[in-house]
Amino acid sequence: MANNGKDKSILAQARHIELARELIELGARLQLLEAETSLSRERLLKLYKEIKRVSPPKGMLPFSTDWFLSWQPNIHSSLFAEIYRFLVANAEVRGVTAIVKAYRLYLEHLSISQLEPVLSITRAWTLVRFLDKRILDTAECKRCGGRFVVHALDLHKEYVCGLCNVPSRAGKGRKAGSARVVPAAGILAA
């Protein structure tokens, strides 16, 4: 007769390896992999090198909320946040599985719209953590009705989003081609 405890740990380990593989293919940083799987750092490093054929990037994870609030990242973050919330509310997925599915839908939407992604899987994961801890929240734009990422403690009674009130310098930087507006106001609407 098989030892059920050992079988479960092998199956759990296989699920964690598959999750790590999927996250690595989406561009996840090593710290994200360590936080979401039970695999050792050494095993994750080997897996990362096997899949990407390079060592993982070094450095800290993004930790500031400010990036999510600047014009173009805010539009992309808001799109992802609403896709994520829709999946959690309607598709019976949670945690990192919901993040991965929402991120894939975000990438698909951008591909159809012929836009370059601004949000990485690591930033998407960080955004969900900020939203869950109520450091960031979403507020409804009083003009278009879309929901956009904002600081949770700011007052948002008269909030106007970056799509309705485009900053004068928007799209004038080096990446102007990717600064086109995400045609997704309908997705951002509540």
Side-chain angles (χ1 to χ4, degrees), residues 61-132:
L61 288 179
F63 61 89
S64 172
T65 58
D66 294 341
W67 184 88
F68 298 102
L69 303 173
S70 60
W71 180 70
Q72 188 180 21
N74 183 261
I75 294 167
H76 285 257
S77 298
S78 300
L79 173 62
F80 171 81
E82 289 307 301
I83 293 169
Y84 172 80
R85 286 189 178 180
F86 180 85
L87 286 176
V88 168
N90 298 292
E92 298 180 19
V93 291
R94 301 282 181 272
V96 72
T97 302
I99 293 170
V100 168
K101 288 183 184 303
Y103 191 73
R104 288 193 183 282
L105 287 170
Y106 160 78
L107 292 176
E108 185 178 322
H109 177 76
L110 293 180
S111 175
I112 291 167
S113 302
Q114 297 178 342
L115 295 170
E116 291 296 318
V118 171
L119 191 69
S120 69
I121 185 70
T122 301
R123 286 209 188 261
W125 177 77
T126 303
L127 173 62
V128 169
R129 293 178 68 171
F130 285 153
L131 290 168
D132 287 347

Side-chain angles (χ1 to χ4, degrees), residues 16 20 23 28-45 59 61 125 129:
H16 284 265
L23 288 167
R29 300 277 298 271
L30 193 59
Q31 296 95 323
L32 189 162
L33 301 171
E34 288 178 306
E36 293 297 339
T37 71
S38 64
L39 302 174
S40 71
R41 183 174 181 83
E42 293 75 27
R43 193 123 192 230
L44 289 169
L45 280 167
L61 288 179
W125 177 77
R129 293 178 68 171

Side-chain angles (χ1 to χ4, degrees), residues 1-16:
M1 200 161 157
N3 180 343
N4 286 339
K6 190 166 186 141
D7 291 343
K8 285 182 183 177
S9 68
I10 291 170
L11 291 175
Q13 190 174 39
R15 282 192 294 275
H16 284 265

